[in-house]
Amino acid sequence: LALAQPLTVAVVDTGANVRAPVLAAKHPSTYDVRTRGRGVADLNGHGTQVASIIARDSGAARLLVIRAGSSSGAFTDVNEAAGIRYAVDHGAGIVNLSLGGPRTSAVERAAIRYAVAHGVLVVAAAGDDYANRPEYPAALLGTGGLAVAAIAGNGSRALFSNTGPWVSIAAPGSEGTSFAAPRVAAAAARVWQMNPRLTARQVVRILELTASGNGTRNDELGFGVVDVGRALHAARP
Protein backbone atom coordinates (compact mmCIF):
# COMPACT_ATOMS: atom_id res chain seq x y z
CA LEU A 1 0.00 0.00 0.00
CA ALA A 2 1.39 3.40 -0.94
CA LEU A 3 1.16 6.25 1.50
CA ALA A 4 -2.04 8.19 2.01
CA GLN A 5 -1.53 11.96 2.00
CA PRO A 6 -0.66 13.76 4.15
CA LEU A 7 1.44 11.47 6.33
CA THR A 8 0.38 11.00 9.95
CA VAL A 9 2.69 9.67 12.66
CA ALA A 10 0.93 8.16 15.68
CA VAL A 11 2.54 8.09 19.12
CA VAL A 12 1.07 5.39 21.37
CA ASP A 13 2.36 6.38 24.79
CA THR A 14 1.42 8.05 28.10
CA GLY A 15 -0.23 10.99 26.32
CA ALA A 16 1.41 14.35 25.76
CA ASN A 17 1.31 17.97 26.83
CA VAL A 18 -0.10 19.21 23.53
CA ARG A 19 0.35 22.81 24.71
CA ALA A 20 4.14 22.44 24.66
CA PRO A 21 5.29 24.78 21.86
CA VAL A 22 6.82 22.11 19.60
CA LEU A 23 3.65 20.02 19.87
CA ALA A 24 1.18 22.90 19.73
CA ALA A 25 2.71 23.92 16.40
CA LYS A 26 1.64 20.53 14.97
CA HIS A 27 -2.00 20.83 16.11
CA PRO A 28 -2.02 17.11 16.93
CA SER A 29 -5.09 14.91 16.90
CA THR A 30 -5.63 13.11 20.22
CA TYR A 31 -7.34 10.02 21.67
CA ASP A 32 -7.37 8.15 24.99
CA VAL A 33 -8.03 4.43 24.55
CA ARG A 34 -9.35 4.03 28.09
CA THR A 35 -11.82 6.93 28.26
CA ARG A 36 -12.42 7.04 24.47
CA GLY A 37 -12.17 10.79 24.83
CA ARG A 38 -9.79 13.43 23.49
CA GLY A 39 -7.98 14.30 26.70
CA VAL A 40 -4.39 13.05 26.64
CA ALA A 41 -2.77 15.00 29.50
CA ASP A 42 0.58 13.38 30.23
CA LEU A 43 1.02 12.81 33.97
CA ASN A 44 4.21 10.82 33.35
CA GLY A 45 6.20 13.00 30.92
CA HIS A 46 7.41 10.09 28.80
CA GLY A 47 4.92 10.56 25.98
CA THR A 48 5.55 14.30 25.82
CA GLN A 49 9.27 13.71 25.27
CA VAL A 50 8.67 11.04 22.63
CA ALA A 51 6.05 13.08 20.75
CA SER A 52 8.24 16.20 20.90
CA ILE A 53 11.11 14.44 19.13
CA ILE A 54 8.78 13.36 16.33
CA ALA A 55 7.13 16.78 16.11
CA ARG A 56 10.54 18.46 15.84
CA ASP A 57 12.14 16.09 13.32
CA SER A 58 9.35 14.75 11.09
CA GLY A 59 9.02 17.57 8.59
CA ALA A 60 5.43 18.36 7.61
CA ALA A 61 3.98 15.12 8.98
CA ARG A 62 0.83 15.31 11.07
CA LEU A 63 0.84 14.00 14.63
CA LEU A 64 -1.69 11.71 16.34
CA VAL A 65 -1.18 11.41 20.12
CA ILE A 66 -2.79 8.29 21.61
CA ARG A 67 -2.77 7.85 25.38
CA ALA A 68 -2.61 4.15 26.22
CA GLY A 69 -0.27 4.11 29.24
CA SER A 70 -0.95 4.98 32.86
CA SER A 71 0.58 7.87 34.79
CA SER A 72 3.15 5.37 36.14
CA GLY A 73 4.23 4.57 32.59
CA ALA A 74 2.74 1.05 32.63
CA PHE A 75 0.92 -0.34 29.61
CA THR A 76 -1.40 -3.31 29.31
CA ASP A 77 -1.28 -5.30 26.09
CA VAL A 78 -5.00 -4.64 25.64
CA ASN A 79 -4.54 -0.85 25.77
CA GLU A 80 -1.41 -0.95 23.63
CA ALA A 81 -3.27 -3.01 21.02
CA ALA A 82 -6.25 -0.65 21.13
CA GLY A 83 -3.90 2.27 20.52
CA ILE A 84 -2.27 0.56 17.54
CA ARG A 85 -5.63 -0.33 15.99
CA TYR A 86 -6.98 3.20 16.52
CA ALA A 87 -3.89 4.63 14.82
CA VAL A 88 -4.27 2.31 11.82
CA ASP A 89 -8.02 2.95 11.53
CA HIS A 90 -7.48 6.71 11.66
CA GLY A 91 -4.95 6.93 8.85
CA ALA A 92 -1.56 6.76 10.53
CA GLY A 93 1.26 5.78 8.18
CA ILE A 94 3.75 5.30 11.03
CA VAL A 95 3.14 4.15 14.61
CA ASN A 96 5.79 4.79 17.28
CA LEU A 97 5.84 2.36 20.24
CA SER A 98 8.36 3.50 22.85
CA LEU A 99 7.22 0.73 25.18
CA GLY A 100 7.88 -2.94 25.73
CA GLY A 101 8.40 -5.88 27.99
CA PRO A 102 9.78 -9.44 28.12
CA ARG A 103 6.51 -11.16 27.22
CA THR A 104 3.99 -10.91 24.41
CA SER A 105 0.37 -11.96 24.00
CA ALA A 106 -2.13 -12.92 21.32
CA VAL A 107 -3.75 -9.46 21.48
CA GLU A 108 -0.41 -7.68 21.00
CA ARG A 109 0.66 -9.96 18.14
CA ALA A 110 -2.70 -9.49 16.41
CA ALA A 111 -2.42 -5.68 16.63
CA ILE A 112 1.06 -5.70 15.11
CA ARG A 113 -0.12 -7.99 12.31
CA TYR A 114 -3.09 -5.68 11.73
CA ALA A 115 -0.82 -2.66 11.36
CA VAL A 116 1.62 -4.37 9.01
CA ALA A 117 -1.20 -5.85 6.91
CA HIS A 118 -2.58 -2.32 6.44
CA GLY A 119 0.75 -0.99 5.17
CA VAL A 120 1.63 0.86 8.37
CA LEU A 121 5.27 1.18 9.41
CA VAL A 122 5.69 0.24 13.08
CA VAL A 123 8.71 1.60 14.98
CA ALA A 124 9.42 0.18 18.45
CA ALA A 125 12.06 0.67 21.13
CA ALA A 126 14.42 -2.30 21.54
CA GLY A 127 14.40 -1.99 25.34
CA ASP A 128 16.69 -0.78 28.08
CA ASP A 129 17.58 -3.90 30.09
CA TYR A 130 20.64 -5.06 28.16
CA ALA A 131 20.21 -8.73 27.45
CA ASN A 132 20.26 -10.88 24.37
CA ARG A 133 16.60 -11.79 24.74
CA PRO A 134 13.51 -10.56 22.93
CA GLU A 135 11.67 -7.40 23.94
CA TYR A 136 8.08 -7.08 22.77
CA PRO A 137 6.58 -5.65 20.63
CA ALA A 138 9.96 -4.80 19.04
CA ALA A 139 10.84 -8.46 18.44
CA LEU A 140 7.56 -9.00 16.56
CA LEU A 141 8.23 -6.53 13.76
CA GLY A 142 10.38 -8.47 11.30
CA THR A 143 10.65 -6.77 7.91
CA GLY A 144 7.42 -4.84 8.49
CA GLY A 145 8.91 -2.41 10.97
CA LEU A 146 11.96 -1.16 12.79
CA ALA A 147 13.18 -2.25 16.24
CA VAL A 148 15.44 0.56 17.43
CA ALA A 149 18.54 0.27 19.62
CA ALA A 150 20.21 3.27 21.26
CA ILE A 151 23.73 4.65 20.85
CA ALA A 152 25.60 6.71 23.42
CA GLY A 153 27.33 10.01 22.73
CA ASN A 154 30.50 8.25 21.50
CA GLY A 155 28.57 6.34 18.82
CA SER A 156 28.76 2.91 20.43
CA ARG A 157 25.80 0.96 21.75
CA ALA A 158 24.38 2.49 24.90
CA LEU A 159 25.21 0.10 27.74
CA PHE A 160 21.55 -0.52 28.58
CA SER A 161 20.34 -1.06 25.00
CA ASN A 162 19.03 -4.56 24.28
CA THR A 163 20.66 -6.72 21.61
CA GLY A 164 19.45 -9.57 19.46
CA PRO A 165 18.77 -10.75 15.92
CA TRP A 166 15.51 -8.76 15.90
CA VAL A 167 17.24 -5.35 16.27
CA SER A 168 16.86 -3.36 13.02
CA ILE A 169 18.64 -0.05 13.39
CA ALA A 170 20.03 2.39 15.97
CA ALA A 171 19.75 6.07 16.81
CA PRO A 172 21.01 8.49 19.48
CA GLY A 173 19.32 7.73 22.79
CA SER A 174 21.64 8.08 25.76
CA GLU A 175 18.46 8.54 27.82
CA GLY A 176 16.89 5.29 26.56
CA THR A 177 15.71 3.39 23.49
CA SER A 178 12.34 5.09 24.07
CA PHE A 179 13.95 8.25 22.71
CA ALA A 180 15.95 6.54 19.96
CA ALA A 181 12.77 5.10 18.44
CA PRO A 182 11.05 8.45 17.71
CA ARG A 183 14.21 9.68 15.96
CA VAL A 184 13.85 6.73 13.59
CA ALA A 185 10.09 7.27 13.26
CA ALA A 186 10.77 10.89 12.30
CA ALA A 187 13.43 9.80 9.80
CA ALA A 188 10.95 7.36 8.27
CA ALA A 189 8.40 10.17 8.02
CA ARG A 190 10.81 12.37 6.12
CA VAL A 191 11.77 9.56 3.75
CA TRP A 192 8.13 8.77 3.05
CA GLN A 193 7.31 12.42 2.44
CA MET A 194 10.22 12.57 0.00
CA ASN A 195 8.67 9.71 -1.99
CA PRO A 196 5.03 8.92 -1.11
CA ARG A 197 4.99 6.07 -3.65
CA LEU A 198 7.13 3.94 -1.36
CA THR A 199 5.60 1.16 0.72
CA ALA A 200 6.33 0.72 4.42
CA ARG A 201 8.70 -2.16 3.68
CA GLN A 202 10.56 -0.04 1.12
CA VAL A 203 10.98 2.75 3.67
CA VAL A 204 12.33 0.19 6.14
CA ARG A 205 14.86 -1.09 3.61
CA ILE A 206 16.00 2.38 2.62
CA LEU A 207 16.64 3.31 6.25
CA GLU A 208 18.45 0.03 6.91
CA LEU A 209 20.63 0.06 3.81
CA THR A 210 21.67 3.71 4.21
CA ALA A 211 22.51 3.32 7.93
CA SER A 212 26.10 3.23 9.14
CA GLY A 213 26.50 -0.53 8.64
CA ASN A 214 26.43 -0.05 4.85
CA GLY A 215 24.12 -3.00 4.37
CA THR A 216 25.56 -5.35 6.98
CA ARG A 217 23.90 -5.97 10.35
CA ASN A 218 24.83 -7.19 13.81
CA ASP A 219 22.86 -7.96 16.94
CA GLU A 220 23.97 -4.80 18.77
CA LEU A 221 22.98 -2.03 16.35
CA GLY A 222 21.13 -3.87 13.58
CA PHE A 223 22.07 -2.23 10.27
CA GLY A 224 23.77 0.59 12.16
CA VAL A 225 22.98 4.19 13.04
CA VAL A 226 20.25 5.88 11.03
CA ASP A 227 21.53 8.42 8.48
CA VAL A 228 18.69 10.73 7.48
CA GLY A 229 20.66 12.51 4.75
CA ARG A 230 21.67 9.30 3.00
CA ALA A 231 18.16 7.90 3.36
CA LEU A 232 16.57 10.98 1.82
CA HIS A 233 19.00 10.85 -1.08
CA ALA A 234 18.21 7.17 -1.69
CA ALA A 235 14.46 7.81 -1.48
CA ARG A 236 14.32 10.47 -4.17
CA PRO A 237 11.77 9.52 -6.84
Side-chain angles (χ1 to χ4, degrees):
L1 295 173
L3 177 66
Q5 291 286 38
L7 174 65
T8 296
V9 183
V11 180
V12 179
D13 215 291
T14 58
N17 173 12
V18 296
R19 292 191 180 91
V22 69
L23 294 175
K26 283 278 187 188
H27 305 290
S29 301
T30 58
Y31 183 69
D32 184 319
V33 301
R34 293 171 300 177
T35 66
R36 300 185 182 179
R38 299 293 168 195
V40 294
D42 182 13
L43 302 179
N44 180 278
H46 187 274
T48 299
Q49 287 181 264
V50 171
S52 294
I53 292 168
I54 292 172
R56 183 189 69 211
D57 294 345
S58 62
R62 289 181 174 175
L63 193 63
L64 170 56
V65 174
I66 300 173
R67 184 167 67 182
S70 69
S71 58
S72 70
F75 294 81
T76 67
D77 282 5
V78 169
N79 287 340
E80 174 205 334
I84 293 168
R85 287 177 177 271
Y86 183 91
V88 174
D89 292 345
H90 289 79
I94 298 169
V95 176
N96 188 88
L97 302 171
S98 287
L99 53 95
R103 290 176 296 280
T104 185
S105 64
V107 69
E108 181 179 64
R109 292 191 296 272
I112 295 295
R113 285 196 304 270
Y114 185 75
V116 173
H118 283 79
V120 174
L121 200 171
V122 181
V123 180
D128 298 346
D129 48 351
Y130 168 58
N132 202 341
R133 61 162 176 75
E135 177 95 356
Y136 300 98
L140 300 173
L141 301 184
T143 58
L146 292 160
V148 185
I151 60 166
N154 63 3
S156 64
R157 179 186 61 81
L159 295 179
F160 53 76
S161 184
N162 279 7
T163 61
W166 43 276
V167 173
S168 311
I169 201 165
S174 55
E175 64 281 67
T177 58
S178 278
F179 307 109
R183 289 182 168 95
V184 170
R190 291 186 59 193
V191 166
W192 225 339
Q193 290 169 89
M194 170 68 76
N195 186 354
R197 292 182 176 275
L198 296 170
T199 65
R201 288 177 189 270
Q202 288 171 328
V203 174
V204 167
R205 285 307 279 161
I206 286 170
L207 287 167
E208 289 177 342
L209 295 177
T210 58
S212 64
N214 293 311
T216 62
R217 76 164 301 285
N218 61 57
D219 285 356
E220 292 218 332
L221 300 180
F223 284 90
V225 182
V226 67
D227 186 326
V228 180
R230 285 180 72 187
L232 289 172
H233 183 78
R236 288 190 301 186

